[in-house]
């Protein structure tokens, strides 16, 4: 409870700064009208929350955008606490893009409060409610929509719409880049479907640190198990570890996967518990779940990250 209270406290402190900023910017509506003409002659300043969202903006905006990501590689957005320095990154932005669907946890109020300072867009809101996944017992949707490439293709649309709204002069360029990127995503989706055929259906079992891959399993025919839930905020208990170890031994699963944004110790406990049951399981990976890899690396883009994950999963399940 104390951890949550500290997060709320930080959120309200930051929101207070934003409110003060509103009071100091009585002419903000006029400034917004000036920007519409001004942005045709300079790059649009975009602040994104996660590396995955930041990459999406870069793909659509190209050299017309200057993108800052609040969270870096390996950062867990479920646990991220907004810092005071983040306020200034948000306040300098023409456009703020976040994921939504409760991925950014306690930052949601802060982000929504910025809508008078900048144009604010949540890409997750582009997904029709009926296509969202609700794990058993959960009242909020699973936010990890990017693991179904077809859903991420839809998430690109509000980015192009927002850029076009701010900078109508270059709207045809944003539309063209959107369509080109969506074609790349169609090819990626087709590639995944071809690759997974190399694994017999009964062996398509994906066990990971937390339940981030539900959309992946739903889209590409994998049974998915996560030690933690859809958020990493909860700790894994002994019963969770023992239940997963029983599952691995019973189903003779040969590999489980660590994620870059979740500590390895959770799966090491599962590995030990499975060994106590006479079954040896390999900890493979890492998989990228809530954040991309380092900038400039193949995994530093969404497409590169997905390709890495699929290849890593197939190699481990095939025993390569």
């Amino acid at each position: 409870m104390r951890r949550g209270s500290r997060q709320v406290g930080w959120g309200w402190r930051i929101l207070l700064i934003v409110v003060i900023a509103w009071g100091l910017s009585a002419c903000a509506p006029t400034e917004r009208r000036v920007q519409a003409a001004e942005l045709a002659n300079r790059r649009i300043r975009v602040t994104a929350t996660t590396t995955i969202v930041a990459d999406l903006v870069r793909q659509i905006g190209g050299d017309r955008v200057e993108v800052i990501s609040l969270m870096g590689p390996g950062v867990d957005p479920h646990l991220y606490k907004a810092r005071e320095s983040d306020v200034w990154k948000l306040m300098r932005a023409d456009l703020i893009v976040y994921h939504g669907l409760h991925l950014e946890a306690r930052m949601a109020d802060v982000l929504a409060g910025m809508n008078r300072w900048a144009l604010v867009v949540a890409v997750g809101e582009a997904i029709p409610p009926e296509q969202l996944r609700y794990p058993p017992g959960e009242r909020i949707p699973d936010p990890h929509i990017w693991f179904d490439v077809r859903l991420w293709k839809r998430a690109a649309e509000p980015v192009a719409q927002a850029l076009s709204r701010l900078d109508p002069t270059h709207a045809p360029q944003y539309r063209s880049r959107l369509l080109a990127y969506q074609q790349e995503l169609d090819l990626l989706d087709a590639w995944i479907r071809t690759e997974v055929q190399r694994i017999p259906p009964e062996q398509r079992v994906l066990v990971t640190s937390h339940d981030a891959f539900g959309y992946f399993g739903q889209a590409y025919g994998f049974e998915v198990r996560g030690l933690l839930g859809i958020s990493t905020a909860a700790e894994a208990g002994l019963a969770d570890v023992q239940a997963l170890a029983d599952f691995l031994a019973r189903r003779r699963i040969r590999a489980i996967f660590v994620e870059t944004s979740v500590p390895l110790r959770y799966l090491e406990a599962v590995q030990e518990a499975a060994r106590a049951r006479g079954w040896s399981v390999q900890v493979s990976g890492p998989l990228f779940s809530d954040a991309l890899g380092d900038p400039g690396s193949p995994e530093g883009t969404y497409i590169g990250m997905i390709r890495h994950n699929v290849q890593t999963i197939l190699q481990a399940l095939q025993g390569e």
Side-chain angles (χ1 to χ4, degrees), residues 53-76:
V53 171
D55 176 71
L56 186 60
V57 176
R58 292 187 184 102
Q59 298 300 329
I60 307 303
D63 60 8
R64 292 287 309 136
V65 296
E66 171 193 325
V67 185
I68 295 175
S69 176
L70 298 182
M71 307 176 202
V75 174
D76 184 348

Side-chain angles (χ1 to χ4, degrees), residues 67 92 108 115 141 229 248 312:
V67 185
R92 72 180 292 275
N115 61 1
L248 295 172
T312 300

Side-chain angles (χ1 to χ4, degrees), residues 37-57:
E38 173 193 326
L39 290 178
N41 299 308
R42 69 165 173 85
R43 293 203 295 173
I44 299 174
R45 293 190 293 264
V46 184
T47 297
T49 50
T50 71
T51 55
I52 298 174
V53 171
D55 176 71
L56 186 60
V57 176

